Amino acid sequence: IPGLTLPQRLCYFSSCFFWFFAYARVVFMLAPLCFLIFGLKIYDANFVDFAAFAVPHLLAVFMVSDFLFGKVRWSFVSELYELIQSVYTLPAIVKVFLNPRAPTFKVTAKGETLGEDYISPLARPFYFFLIFNTIALIFGAARLIVTPAESFPTSITMMWSGFNVFILLAAMGTLFERRQRRATPRMPIAMTARVKLGKKFYTAEIRDLSIQGCGLVLDPAFESLFVEGSALEMTIPGDPKFVDMPIHIVIRNARREPGALFVGGQFEHTSLEEMKLKVLLVNGNSQRWVDFQTSRERRIGVVRSGLFLLALGVRFSLQHFGHVMLVANSKRAGKTFKTSQQSV
């Protein structure tokens, strides 16, 4: 673009060049296979070189990253985030080079809900990455036995491939889409409310809020009264804006919790003024959102971050593969039933 200064051009170049991370991530996933399976010397260094250059570099990268960004982004999360993007970003980069003016911007859908658990179709390429890196580890173990003279580069590359498996397990867990029926996020709060059911008033605590509804906590003795489908009128005592006009709520679910009754309600405004009041209740206090974000900003360190991601990755990837087996068995049972019907 004409008229840009050199610093501006460098700034734009830096932001555009970032997207080449996709190439690096794909290579990082496939490179260990080259040595462990095919014997290609992709890592040509001895123990002294590795200890003098690679180890300090890796330690410095993780320590500095944790020091600068540890409260808002834990270690290894960027690796996971970029890995999942890389497989689909890399072809897009190639298309941009082939025809720079062709790409168009696609708007991401907002407010979607999920009625059931399912495997994201984006997961398919990562099955191959996980299988290849697992096979590479098996070849590496065999290489340690067959060629003990190359034990150092083999063990280092196996650690590399093992790290890939660790990140891929987290990716598989991420790509297992769990049921999400809420179209809008809920903000956790603690606010006293007064609800009217029939002709009686009850004291409740608002546990969370969204533009569509709220969660209320009441005395468990009222469990038989607050049932699904019941209509409530809610006011906020002590706040003049929310005393004169009640906010109407319909109970969508109610469940017993230890020492409390939790009620999930959906807002059902009856007028434009009530809708404005509801929006004011949900979004009128910006400090609430600031406090919520601040409460989430905590540093846990590199090691705890890795263990946390590993635990989540193993747990959700097991659910992922369990769901795959369940779907496969269902399809197999359906084919068997269809074949039996045809035979009859």
Side-chain angles (χ1 to χ4, degrees), residues 39-50:
L40 301 178
K41 302 288 184 177
I42 61 167
Y43 191 84
D44 189 11
N46 54 37
F47 176 77
V48 176
D49 294 335
F50 180 76

Side-chain angles (χ1 to χ4, degrees), residues 51-182:
F53 298 103
V55 172
H57 169 72
L58 292 173
L59 291 176
V61 166
F62 283 110
M63 291 175 64
V64 171
S65 177
D66 182 70
F67 176 77
L68 294 176
F69 314 113
K71 288 186 177 181
V72 293
R73 174 165 288 190
W74 294 345
S75 300
F76 307 108
V77 173
S78 294
E79 282 74 10
L80 173 62
Y81 179 73
E82 292 185 358
L83 169 63
I84 294 175
Q85 286 191 94
S86 62
V87 178
Y88 299 96
T89 304
L90 187 58
I93 293 174
V94 174
K95 291 180 180 178
V96 170
F97 273 99
L98 295 176
N99 192 346
R101 299 185 183 278
T104 57
F105 177 76
K106 294 183 179 180
V107 178
T108 306
K110 304 297 190 296
E112 291 186 327
T113 60
L114 296 179
E116 59 183 11
D117 298 340
Y118 80 103
I119 304 298
S120 171
L122 301 178
R124 292 169 185 168
F126 300 98
Y127 291 130
F128 297 101
F129 281 144
L130 185 59
I131 292 172
F132 291 153
N133 277 276
T134 304
I135 293 175
L137 287 174
I138 297 173
F139 272 81
R143 184 177 286 274
L144 287 174
I145 299 173
V146 176
T147 55
E150 295 183 347
S151 60
F152 173 72
T154 301
S155 59
I156 292 298
T157 312
M158 287 181 67
M159 291 173 60
W160 181 352
S161 192
F163 178 79
N164 288 345
V165 171
F166 156 66
I167 293 294
L168 285 166
L169 285 176
M172 300 308 291
T174 302
L175 293 165
F176 177 53
E177 300 285 355
R178 282 159 291 280
R179 184 175 62 180
Q180 173 58 268
R181 292 184 175 177
R182 290 179 178 171

